[in-house]
Amino acid sequence: MKKRDLCKRIISVIVLSMSIILLNACNKDDDNDDEDIVEQINYSNAANWVAYPDATKAVDVFYVYPTVSSNATGAMDINNEEERALAQGIFKAQASVFEGDANVFAPYYRQMSTKVNMPESGLATDTEEFKRGSQDVQQAFDYFIENLNKDRPFIIAGHSQGTMALIELIQNRFGNDEELRNRLVAAYLIGYTVTDEALNISGLAAAQSSNDVGVVVTYNTQSVTSLGGPMLMPGANCINPLNWKTDNTYADSSMNLGAVFFDDATGTFLREVQYYCGAKINTEKGALTTTIPQIDADTLEFGPYKEGVYHRYDYAFWYRNLEKNVGSRIEAYFEN
């Protein structure tokens, strides 16, 4: 064999071998990708919803519950009966605000649990567990719009991690969808910071009164002296749920139609207190401040937060005012 032909054959073998190696590597990557794909939740199955009502009212609510899971894996197991019960309990404590005026739909989602390993950034939104839960919420919302809502006007509502997921939702779904924005009565995005930047991306605006529509209602509750919690960040919008103003006008406790307390874990009603507390916005911090009865300041369970962070009671302290406001905004929507 000539030397030149031998060289050609050697080169051909090398090229073929490299091709096989590259092909195997690609196939291996594909296999890894398949392993990384997380099965989507089937939201056509009513069992995957905390609430899946017969729609008898003219307006719907899409509600997303706050953090209830302490699953050691870092993410909620929506098939675990104990964790499902916790979601059902907080639904009764919070979403009942809307049930008198609307059909309330609420999906289970694989939320980030309290046992999640936080990333170096320190931001919960950077965790894979939050991202997965947020994707669940968006898939559930898409199913809700396409199959359950039937073109009715709707409200979206949440608290804490539920609000975090809904902020992602409005930025991804509402900004380029005028028809969707036009059917939005209001978004009650309570218990987390909603910035002007997030609103601009979504094409929505912060609420300025008790009956403007297509707007975002948001606030974070704390004591007058509190330094604030991790849910309150610079640039937070805030509205006072007693006088529905966004300035620092004080609303006296006589304007509080009733604080309603539940056992959040079970949804069991505990007590109702009329004229419970007043409220004033700290416009510098974007915080809703209040002074609650001393006996409750000493005995209520506030969770793992600094002094005076009333995050757990963002719905409870203002329950009856929120309930009335839902009806007011729905009425205003149909009058427009």
Side-chain angles (χ1 to χ4, degrees):
M1 181 181 294
K2 293 182 179 180
K3 186 174 182 181
R4 180 181 300 175
D5 292 338
L6 179 60
C7 289
K8 285 183 179 181
R9 290 191 63 180
I10 292 172
I11 291 172
S12 297
V13 171
I14 292 173
V15 170
L16 179 60
S17 299
M18 290 300 296
S19 298
I20 293 171
I21 291 170
L22 289 172
L23 180 60
N24 288 337
C26 290
N27 288 338
K28 190 172 183 180
D29 286 342
D30 289 343
D31 290 343
N32 287 338
D33 288 344
D34 289 340
E35 290 174 1
D36 290 340
I37 293 173
V38 178
E39 184 178 356
Q40 293 185 0
I41 297 173
N42 177 14
Y43 284 111
S44 66
N45 183 350
N48 288 326
W49 293 77
V50 183
Y52 192 96
D54 293 328
T56 59
K57 299 180 177 70
V59 174
D60 293 341
V61 174
F62 181 81
Y63 165 83
V64 183
Y65 53 85
T67 305
V68 297
S69 175
S70 296
N71 197 319
T73 65
M76 180 178 180
D77 178 0
I78 67 166
N79 296 311
N80 180 283
E81 289 303 321
E82 292 182 2
E83 299 219 297
R84 290 168 73 91
L86 292 172
Q88 294 161 14
I90 198 65
F91 175 91
K92 293 174 184 175
Q94 293 184 347
S96 52
V97 160
F98 306 98
E99 288 186 306
D101 295 287
N103 317 299
V104 185
F105 295 85
Y108 287 107
Y109 69 108
R110 292 168 291 193
Q111 65 173 208
M112 171 184 63
S113 85
T114 59
K115 303 298 185 183
V116 71
N117 291 320
M118 293 297 291
E120 291 184 7
S121 68
L123 296 175
T125 49
D126 286 343
T127 66
E128 290 303 316
E129 290 82 359
F130 172 77
K131 292 175 182 178
R132 181 188 303 164
S134 179
Q135 289 172 357
D136 287 348
V137 169
Q138 292 185 45
Q139 289 163 7
F141 179 77
D142 290 343
Y143 183 83
F144 161 75
I145 289 295
E146 294 169 9
N147 299 279
L148 306 176
N149 175 244
K150 310 299 183 185
D151 295 329
R152 287 184 293 270
F154 63 90
I155 290 168
I156 61 174
H159 184 243
S160 194
Q161 186 175 170
T163 286
M164 291 165 63
L166 288 173
I167 291 171
E168 298 283 330
L169 173 72
I170 63 172
Q171 291 181 111
N172 292 333
R173 294 292 189 271
F174 284 68
N176 296 318
D177 196 329
E178 183 178 4
E179 191 274 336
L180 205 58
R181 296 196 302 273
N182 288 340
R183 285 200 287 122
L184 179 68
V185 176
Y188 289 81
L189 305 187
I190 296 169
Y192 198 74
T193 292
V194 180
T195 63
D196 286 339
E197 180 183 5
L199 293 173
N200 290 337
I201 294 172
S202 68
L204 303 175
Q208 301 295 311
S209 69
S210 65
N211 60 1
D212 46 354
V213 297
V215 294
V216 174
V217 175
T218 184
Y219 58 81
N220 291 275
T221 311
Q222 63 183 51
S223 72
V224 175
T225 59
S226 175
L227 297 177
M231 65 294 300
L232 181 63
M233 294 173 283
N237 280 280
C238 184
I239 195 166
N240 188 325
L242 296 187
N243 60 19
W244 297 104
K245 295 182 178 181
T246 58
D247 59 19
N248 63 355
T249 302
Y250 177 68
D252 187 75
S253 60
S254 63
M255 301 179 71
N256 192 320
L257 301 178
V260 181
F261 296 89
F262 294 83
D263 178 340
D264 290 348
T266 64
T268 303
F269 170 83
L270 299 176
R271 61 189 170 110
E272 180 170 350
V273 184
Q274 194 176 28
Y275 314 133
Y276 181 73
C277 58
K280 181 179 180 179
I281 295 175
N282 181 327
T283 52
E284 181 180 349
K285 296 182 178 180
L288 180 69
T289 66
T290 186
T291 301
I292 65 174
Q294 188 59 49
I295 187 171
D296 280 356
D298 293 336
T299 59
L300 286 178
E301 175 58 52
F302 297 111
Y305 304 116
K306 297 176 182 178
E307 181 274 332
V309 177
Y310 299 146
H311 180 67
R312 290 187 63 175
Y313 300 94
D314 280 327
Y315 274 77
F317 286 175
W318 327 106
Y319 187 97
R320 293 300 179 195
N321 291 78
L322 285 171
E323 187 178 54
K324 180 181 179 182
N325 185 249
V326 171
S328 296
R329 290 190 194 275
I330 290 174
E331 183 178 348
Y333 179 90
F334 284 114
E335 287 177 352
N336 285 348

